[in-house]
Amino acid sequence: MGNVLTGPHVLRGVAVTTVRAALCGRDEVRLTFLREEALPVGSVTTGPTTGLPVRRYQAGDGAVVLDLVNADRITGQPVTTPEMLAEALAGRSPTDAGWWAELDAPVTDVIHDAAGRVLGVVSHAVRSSDDTGFILWLHGSENPVVVGALIEHAIAALGRQRTILAFEFASALSLGLEGLPAGHRPATRKALETAGFSGRNLWRYMHAGLPLAGLPLAAHYEVRDCEEPPGKRLEVREGGELLAEATIGRPVAGIGVLWWISVAPAARGRGLGLGLLGSSLDLLQGLGAREAILFVDDDAPADDPERSRAAANRMYDRAGLMQVDRLFSFSRRP
């Protein structure tokens, strides 16, 4: 792709000087911001950092947007389907459904070149109950120019005087990714930080192929259906007292999720957690899973032993699960 723009451009209250914004070659982009105006949610304008046109998502964009989403797919995630995209566009998700229900209708925009070719996509929304803005998901081939322009557009659309959260919860485009896989999306992380967002390193994302050999099984447990999240719950009880539990999700495209394992403090040290891990993975395989993923919320500070996941991390490491990435959420204050 050749040069997209050169020279000064004044775009809806934003004066920009852009030099050689050649996206494929990632040539130099030089910007001079003179002034900006907050844009109402739903407005369509031109990308403030590149001069590339931004418009509302249209039905004909589906195939290209799916290609963009799947280009960012990481280990343990299913291929995003048209049905998954439709749910995300409608503001629904099987994971974190309650958080999505609190949002106003999301707005999804695409950025494109002069020939009309879609280069990136961003979806954003407002939660009216506390006037917080959200960047829900975005994809731009990890091109720094494109992802930077998408983020700046979303900030302008949501309003710079709002608190804005990014990658705060999972969307229907993924299987439970409650954050940005920062190691696999370095350009997006850097663009968020450049735009004034602070990152929070919240989750360890892990993966294993099934079967995972050498794990013990729990000696006795009950299996119950679980509606939130949809799947199964394994419970270890003694005398009616719940000692340990694990929750798994129904496999999607051969991928099962181990949502969590917990053991009551008084019952720790008896191998219940490791037994439930083996039984959970065994049950997932019986439900059709060929691989499994799990998420560990190990962001507790060192002085908070109640929330420490050190023992859980050691168990998962010894069992043979591999870390794929760390999941980050981001916030930007006015």
Side-chain angles (χ1 to χ4, degrees), residues 167-186:
F167 297 94
E168 187 70 9
F169 33 75
S171 80
L173 300 177
S174 72
L175 187 55
L177 287 179
E178 294 186 347
L180 177 77
H184 288 78
R185 304 278 302 275

Side-chain angles (χ1 to χ4, degrees), residues 191-217:
L192 285 163
E193 292 171 345
T194 299
F197 285 83
S198 298
R200 292 167 288 143
N201 184 355
L202 298 178
W203 297 89
R204 191 182 190 202
Y205 171 53
M206 306 187 76
H207 171 267
L210 297 178
L212 196 58
L215 289 179
L217 302 178

Side-chain angles (χ1 to χ4, degrees), residues 227-261:
E227 293 185 4
E228 181 58 40
K232 303 287 185 180
R233 180 178 176 183
L234 293 75
E235 299 179 349
V236 175
R237 295 179 178 271
E238 284 185 0
E241 180 183 1
L242 180 64
L243 300 183
E245 63 177 336
T247 301
I248 61 174
R250 300 186 191 116
V252 176
I255 303 167
V257 184
L258 174 57
W259 289 112
W260 65 75
I261 293 176

Side-chain angles (χ1 to χ4, degrees), residues 143-174:
N143 184 300
V145 173
V146 173
V147 297
L150 290 169
I151 290 165
E152 285 296 328
H153 169 75
I155 292 171
L158 291 167
R160 294 184 180 274
Q161 298 310 307
R162 274 196 175 101
T163 293
I164 301 176
L165 306 181
F167 297 94
E168 187 70 9
F169 33 75
S171 80
L173 300 177
S174 72

